[in-house]
């Protein structure tokens, strides 16, 4: 591509290239940055378990990359830090996983070196303390959760601390789900595919069986309404969409069998107050639809917290509405009290076990809808129909080792975590 065509392409995209703070006394010299970018800023905002990004820029003259505000020994460019102008430069950027427990930052400047006129552009990389699911970057990975009632959960993880396979078994439940991730595309989006290999569960003396049900979803930047400003949540799952219907097999206790086509979708949703959405800092919902089965989690924060990726937050209460295939529903609201234990030190959302493995949602347990994840372990959940008290023991690294949940009738289940 000749230089005129390069200039034409760059100027056509100029409206996207704000914030690169060039100083151009004559207007003849400049640096334009395309990546890194998060939202509308030339900052890479990555989670603790994300280790790749890109640097893409164009300069009119010879250039050099220099760091300021410290040197980042955890970050490397996939190319030279000096070069010639008049060409688009594309480098890969690699980062080490962040296990420090704190967000870290690296700031850089691309300066022109072949002219006496000063022109430069700045960019930065930030790596959060928490992983995409909201756990700390040094939290050990839970491989198994065994319940004293015979329930069992097994989880496999990839080398980026992302879940790739989960099985959940209880007296009336048998779930097997695989999770696969695509490489990040040019827009910074990562697609995940969820394949429910098997899902067997019982409701109202009817056994339901589903095989090979698929959903897909994207990790991507999302903007939510806050009380004072819009909240940027980088690489969040907004929702999952079904990739096609499969048949749900229903076998009633009297032997009657039917098949019905179903799909599967799940997503965040905002509460509506009159004509306006309630801020996500105040309340949010997670909707999970599988055929005629619908589960809605309402999470109420009361505007006390920022839901920024690394911030701590605990909901005042949650409401769970379950609608079943027979159109009957179950509704419960829990007022929540919390212990001093940080749930982010464990790689699953242990609070999801309070109602037992049979009712535990795998997407919530694995924190794909991480805004609904509380950053402290619940000590008591007081509901209209049931109340659970929770006694939790941790290892020396803060990860949960044992968790005993006792209902209002004194029935207790102890969950033991293996890493």
């Amino acid at each position: 591509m000749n230089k005129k065509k390069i200039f034409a392409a760059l100027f056509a995209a100029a409206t996207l290239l704000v914030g690169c703070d060039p100083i151009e006394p004559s207007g003849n010299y400049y640096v334009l940055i395309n990546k890194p970018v998060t939202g509308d800023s030339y900052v890479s905002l990555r989670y603790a378990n994300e280790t790749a990004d890109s640097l893409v820029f164009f300069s009119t003259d010879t250039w050099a990359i220099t760091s300021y505000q410290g040197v980042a020994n955890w970050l490397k460019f996939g190319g030279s830090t000096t070069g010639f102008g008049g060409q688009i430069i594309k480098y890969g950027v690699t980062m080490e996983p962040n296990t420090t427990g704190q967000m870290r930052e690296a700031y850089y400047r691309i300066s022109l070196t072949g002219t006496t006129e000063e022109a430069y552009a700045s960019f930065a990389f930030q790596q959060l303390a928490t992983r995409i699911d909201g756990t700390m970057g040094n939290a050990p990975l839970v491989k198994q959760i065994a319940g004293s009632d015979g329930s069992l959960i097994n989880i496999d993880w990839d080398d980026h601390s992302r879940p790739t396979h989960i099985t959940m078994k209880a007296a009336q439940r048998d779930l097997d789900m695989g999770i696969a991730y695509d490489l990040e595309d040019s827009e910074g989006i990562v697609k995940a595919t969820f394949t429910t290999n098997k899902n067997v569960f019982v409701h109202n003396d009817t056994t339901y069986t589903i095989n090979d049900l698929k959903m897909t979803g994207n990790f991507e930047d999302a903007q939510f309404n806050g009380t004072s400003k819009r909240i940027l949540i980088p690489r969040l799952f907004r929702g999952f969409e079904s990739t096609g219907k499969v048949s749900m097999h229903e076998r009633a206790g009297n032997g009657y069998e039917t098949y019905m086509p179903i799909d599967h979708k799940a997503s965040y949703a905002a509460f509506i107050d009159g004509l306006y959405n309630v801020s996500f800092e105040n309340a949010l919902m997670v909707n999970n639809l599988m055929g005629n089965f619908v589960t809605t989690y309402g999470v109420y924060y009361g505007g006390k917290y920022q839901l920024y990726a690394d911030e701590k937050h605990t909901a005042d209460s949650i409401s769970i509405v379950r609608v079943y295939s027979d159109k009957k529903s179950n509704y419960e609201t829990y007022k929540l009290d919390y212990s001093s234990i940080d749930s982010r030190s464990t790689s699953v959302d242990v609070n999801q076990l309070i109602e037992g493995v049979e009712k535990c949602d795998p997407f919530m347990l694995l924190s794909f809808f991480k805004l609904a994840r509380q950053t402290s372990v619940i000590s008591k959940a007081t509901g209209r129909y049931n109340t659970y008290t929770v006694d939790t023991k941790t290892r020396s690294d803060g990860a949960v080792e044992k968790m005993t949940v006792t209902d209002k009738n004194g029935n207790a289940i102890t969950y033991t975590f293996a890493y």
Side-chain angles (χ1 to χ4, degrees), residues 158-369:
D158 67 11
D159 55 4
H160 292 285
S161 302
R162 300 177 302 191
T164 58
H165 187 237
I166 182 170
T167 61
M168 306 176 72
K169 294 186 178 182
Q172 295 186 324
R173 182 174 195 183
D174 189 358
L175 172 74
D176 184 315
M177 177 185 291
I179 309 166
Y181 305 89
D182 285 353
L183 294 175
E184 183 174 306
D185 67 14
S186 61
E187 300 300 319
I189 296 173
V190 178
K191 184 174 75 172
T193 300
F194 303 81
T195 302
T196 303
N197 303 308
K198 176 176 62 174
N199 190 6
V200 182
F201 57 95
V202 178
H203 169 67
N204 197 21
D205 200 33
T206 298
T207 300
Y208 297 86
T209 302
I210 306 163
N211 295 317
D212 300 322
L213 182 61
K214 289 188 177 183
M215 292 197 305
T216 60
N218 293 331
F219 286 112
E220 55 187 313
D221 294 352
Q223 296 275 358
F224 289 118
N225 289 324
T227 54
S228 58
K229 61 181 179 180
R230 289 177 65 81
I231 310 166
L232 173 67
I233 308 292
R235 278 169 297 289
L236 183 80
F237 263 120
R238 292 293 298 272
F240 311 131
E241 293 292 334
S242 180
T243 59
K245 287 181 168 56
V246 300
S247 293
M248 174 187 282
H249 177 210
E250 302 178 18
R251 183 180 179 88
N254 58 12
Y256 181 71
E257 295 182 83
T258 59
Y259 291 85
M260 65 175 295
I262 67 163
D263 56 13
H264 195 179
K265 299 179 181 180
S267 65
Y268 283 115
F271 284 97
I272 304 296
D273 181 13
L275 298 176
Y276 301 97
N277 288 347
V278 173
S279 164
F280 268 72
E281 291 173 300
N282 292 301
L284 58 91
M285 296 169 61
V286 175
N287 291 330
N288 192 339
L289 296 83
M290 186 174 60
N292 290 331
F293 289 87
V294 181
T295 304
T296 298
Y297 300 86
V299 186
Y300 305 93
Y301 287 109
K304 295 186 299 182
Y305 300 97
Q306 293 286 336
L307 297 181
Y308 183 72
D310 275 353
E311 295 292 331
K312 286 190 174 184
H313 55 265
T314 52
D316 298 325
S317 61
I318 60 172
S319 293
I320 306 174
V321 181
R322 294 183 174 93
V323 180
Y324 300 97
S325 184
D326 55 11
K327 305 300 183 182
K328 295 181 180 180
S329 62
N330 175 272
Y331 174 79
E332 179 66 288
T333 296
Y334 295 105
K335 177 69 177 177
L336 303 176
D337 296 305
Y338 296 90
S339 71
S340 60
I341 298 171
D342 192 332
S343 72
R344 301 174 301 170
S345 296
T346 308
S347 67
V348 297
D349 184 0
V350 298
N351 293 322
Q352 296 300 319
L353 295 170
I354 286 178
E355 290 189 319
V357 172
E358 288 184 347
K359 292 183 177 180
C360 183
D361 182 278
F363 303 109
M364 300 287 280
L365 180 72
L366 298 173
S367 299
F368 283 103
F369 293 104

Side-chain angles (χ1 to χ4, degrees), residues 24-30 117:
E24 305 175 63
S26 69
N28 295 322
Y29 300 95
Y30 54 85
E117 299 203 40

